Amino acid sequence: MNAGKKLIIVSNRLPCSFEKVNGNIRVEPASGGLITAMTSILRNKETIWIGWPGSDAEESEVAALIQGASPGNCRLVPVCLSSVEQAKFYHGFSNEILWPLFHDLQSRCNFAPCYWAIYRQVNKKYAMAVLQNADESDYVWVHDYHLLLMAEELRKLGVTRTLAYFHHIPFPSPDIFAKLPWRSEMLRAMLNFNVLGFQTSSDLRNFVRCLRRFASGDARINSEAKLLTLETNHGVVSAGAFPISIDFQEFSTRAASTGVTRMAAELRQNINVHHCVLGVDRLDYTKGIPERLRAFELLLDQSIELHRKVTLVQVVVPSREDIPKYQELKQEVERLVASINGRFTRDGWVPIHYVYRRLDRDELLAHYKAADIALVTPLKDGMNLVAKEFCVAQNGNEGVLILSECAGAAQQLKIGALLVNPNDLDGVASAIRRAMMFSRTERLCRMRTIRRSIARENVSAWAESFCNAVNSCAAEGHEPFACGVSA
Ligand code: GDG
């Protein structure tokens, strides 16, 4: 490992948010899969994390608080966005176009022409922050769909060093990608990275099919190797599938701690039913929360014998609350919870326990540990780390994972999990019934299979394989890329 080189992580958001409340800035840890994965590999490496602090706060206001909020040996560098940039780059291009489109929900897209120029302008702003904070020898690792043009902007600024990118969300098929008015420009810009990482082989396949259809003159594709090489006018780009994961050891050790075990027992006592089913999601329409609630309602309609015996604990973590579509989703979820509870609640039994807040880490682990069944049913998801976290926190190995076939995690966990189509409410209700009827031996066998697979392909393996890909394509004289995963 090269202790002298810094790792520069660039993502839309910093790993904590700086909210302005009554004129004062409040610093809160942020939630999300990208943050969970990256903070678990930061322990041993000098790192700079560049991102938006997530509010209207000025750089000078954030600067005073920022270092106290840094995880590990990491310096946070804020990129502050003006209100127009927040509206058109973040809410607009990123969340009204790329997020729904890449999750196959094109009818939710708003292809407003004015978003594109600001998306590019903000990508340039992040590129400038890299120039100001990194040395030519540092490793630059860009994350996610907000920053797809960043390598192109860095190249325009004269940067020649190796640039790596990881795509946390799905990459759509050509028929869906075709809807993007800037599809060819976007693909061409991506080819300025040296390494492109995707979650699954089907995302990688989709990316290559999009290249063939919309940027065929820009890259010659060698599709024989596991790590594809794309020969472009500026050089060779490697593209591969690197399924992201979690820190198995850290999660399982912490889940086994006395505090978490006690909290899980208390939760279980409060819920007081035979079967505790758990859902944990950021508030997002891709996570399939209303569909899941309807499937649970169907289960209660179909199986009177389960009344008073099953409870769904649904944790929803506030996210993107200032976007009207998300406010509508919150209302829809709350209406459904109220209507289902209104129909079925009886003395001493409430069918759905609804929690709308961010839990602290131990509370979250206690929820995983207390549950018999995790219901992870996104309509589409890059990976879904909640599915993996639930299984690793199950020290007793007796829980059952019901998992959407549309989550990237399904490719890895399909052998032990019960796979469902999240739109098939009947199928989801049947899967819950099936999971409840599994023998102890079946539950143990399934959960052990999943846990072995996550232990093998944990977050260090993910980071190491990504770094190896960077090193294998790096220019001569480039020192090996290392992310600080080894102790
Ligand atoms: C994106 C992609 C991909 C959730 N509730 C609480 C809490 N969380 C944490 C979980 C988990 C993370 O948030 C959610 O990760 P997911 O992977 O499930 O989903 P996204 O946030 O959409 O992540 C996704 C991921 O990036 C990584 O590449 O898997 O497909 O969409 O880690 O633990 N954390 C705390 N309290 C909560 O209440 N502390």
Side-chain angles (χ1 to χ4, degrees):
M1 194 162 90
N2 305 285
K5 311 292 169 202
K6 294 190 293 302
L7 171 64
I8 314 291
I9 298 173
V10 195
S11 65
N12 167 53
R13 294 289 286 260
L14 288 172
C16 43
S17 63
F18 296 73
E19 305 290 338
K20 222 173 189 173
V21 182
N22 302 329
N24 297 319
I25 307 228
R26 205 172 56 197
V27 187
E28 300 278 356
S31 303
L34 188 162
I35 292 168
T36 305
M38 291 313 289
T39 46
S40 60
I41 63 164
L42 289 186
R43 289 181 209 113
N44 313 302
K45 180 90 190 155
E46 192 188 346
T47 310
I48 294 180
W49 192 323
I50 297 175
W52 176 41
S55 72
D56 287 329
E58 300 290 328
E59 224 153 294
S60 55
E61 296 176 296
V62 170
L65 297 163
I66 206 159
Q67 290 328 319
S70 303
N73 193 14
C74 178
R75 180 159 76 83
L76 303 183
V77 174
V79 175
C80 290
L81 302 181
S82 69
S83 51
V84 171
E85 289 170 339
Q86 287 178 40
K88 296 188 174 168
F89 157 78
Y90 177 66
H91 296 308
F93 202 86
S94 302
N95 286 330
E96 288 178 14
I97 299 180
L98 295 180
W99 178 264
L101 189 71
F102 283 29
H103 286 88
D104 296 354
L105 296 165
Q106 65 267 40
S107 61
R108 286 183 175 260
C109 291
N110 169 15
F111 295 108
C114 61
Y115 292 164
W116 173 246
I118 307 290
Y119 181 74
R120 185 175 282 291
Q121 173 186 311
V122 174
N123 271 251
K124 184 171 180 187
K125 199 168 193 178
Y126 280 82
M128 295 294 293
V130 169
L131 266 195
Q132 283 155 11
N133 289 281
D135 302 326
E136 184 59 30
S137 55
D138 292 335
Y139 318 110
V140 179
W141 189 356
V142 178
H143 290 263
D144 233 1
Y145 61 101
H146 313 84
L147 300 173
L148 287 165
L149 307 184
M150 232 191 101
E152 188 174 57
E153 291 304 322
L154 278 164
R155 300 297 181 217
K156 284 188 201 158
L157 292 166
V159 170
T160 55
R161 78 183 73 158
T162 308
L163 300 172
Y165 170 83
F166 187 76
H167 191 73
H168 289 257
I169 65 172
F171 202 90
S173 69
D175 284 348
I176 289 179
F177 192 72
K179 313 277 189 281
L180 184 69
W182 308 273
R183 60 202 184 190
S184 301
E185 291 95 315
M186 182 69 88
L187 291 170
R188 269 183 218 123
M190 289 176 75
L191 294 174
N192 286 274
F193 286 104
N194 301 85
V195 177
L196 294 165
F198 299 91
Q199 295 276 23
T200 65
S201 51
S202 80
D203 297 317
L204 175 62
R205 222 174 12 250
N206 281 344
F207 172 69
V208 170
R209 288 166 63 212
C210 288
L211 272 183
R212 287 208 167 101
R213 192 145 139 202
F214 305 114
S216 60
D218 291 85
R220 274 191 310 285
I221 300 157
N222 165 13
S223 49
E224 301 303 313
K226 194 170 167 217
L227 191 64
L228 297 182
T229 52
L230 314 166
E231 287 172 46
T232 73
N233 295 339
H234 347 274
V236 174
V237 181
S238 296
F242 305 91
I244 203 165
S245 197
I246 57 168
D247 185 338
F248 182 95
Q249 206 50 51
E250 208 263 332
F251 266 91
S252 65
T253 308
R254 194 136 162 199
S257 70
T258 327
V260 171
T261 308
R262 198 184 47 237
M263 231 188 277
E266 280 166 13
L267 265 171
R268 207 46 219 240
Q269 205 172 10
N270 289 342
I271 292 166
N272 193 25
V273 281
H274 276 66
H275 306 281
C276 173
V277 181
L278 176 70
V280 175
D281 309 84
R282 272 190 315 100
L283 178 72
D284 201 289
Y285 51 80
T286 61
K287 300 292 181 185
I289 307 169
E291 292 76 2
R292 185 182 314 155
L293 293 171
R294 288 196 188 97
F296 189 70
E297 181 174 29
L298 190 63
L299 174 80
L300 297 180
D301 269 326
Q302 292 170 340
S303 308
I304 294 164
E305 73 284 3
L306 289 177
H307 292 193
R308 296 179 184 273
K309 295 210 173 77
V310 61
T311 286
L312 169 65
V313 178
Q314 177 61 57
V315 179
V316 177
V317 186
S319 176
R320 305 177 191 175
E321 280 174 297
D322 41 353
I323 301 178
K325 285 268 182 294
Y326 286 73
Q327 291 158 4
E328 285 162 25
L329 173 66
K330 178 170 183 267
Q331 284 162 10
E332 185 187 359
V333 167
E334 290 175 354
R335 263 197 311 271
L336 276 167
V337 171
S339 135
I340 299 167
N341 279 343
R343 279 188 66 202
F344 294 99
T345 296
R346 295 289 180 272
D347 275 353
W349 175 59
V350 179
I352 303 178
H353 285 229
Y354 173 63
V355 182
Y356 183 73
R357 66 183 167 89
R358 180 183 187 277
L359 307 178
D360 75 27
R361 194 81 186 288
D362 283 356
E363 252 182 310
L364 176 66
L365 288 170
H367 278 74
Y368 289 145
K369 207 170 156 137
D372 302 300
I373 297 170
L375 203 46
V376 183
T377 53
L379 304 180
K380 184 92 182 166
D381 218 329
M383 179 55 58
N384 196 294
L385 294 182
V386 166
K388 296 187 176 184
E389 291 167 7
F390 165 74
C391 298
V392 171
Q394 288 279 308
N395 315 100
N397 279 350
E398 289 197 43
V400 181
L401 173 64
I402 298 180
L403 178 61
S404 162
E405 60 196 15
C406 308
Q411 285 198 12
Q412 183 188 350
L413 308 183
K414 59 180 171 239
I415 296 184
L418 266 180
L419 291 196
V420 291
N421 170 352
N423 298 301
D424 174 7
L425 306 191
D426 215 0
V428 174
S430 306
I432 302 174
R433 258 192 308 271
R434 237 187 109 195
M436 286 172 179
M437 281 173 350
F438 279 157
S439 67
R440 181 162 184 268
T441 316
E442 170 123 31
R443 292 197 307 266
L444 285 173
C445 175
R446 283 173 175 268
M447 191 46 80
R448 281 190 188 132
T449 308
I450 297 180
R451 283 169 62 93
R452 265 198 303 272
S453 150
I454 304 174
R456 209 173 37 240
E457 293 175 40
N458 69 9
V459 75
S460 329
W462 167 74
E464 261 166 24
S465 62
F466 190 81
C467 293
N468 290 341
V470 176
N471 293 329
S472 70
C473 79
E476 236 171 85
H478 157 106
E479 288 194 45
F481 184 73
C483 338
V485 279
S486 44

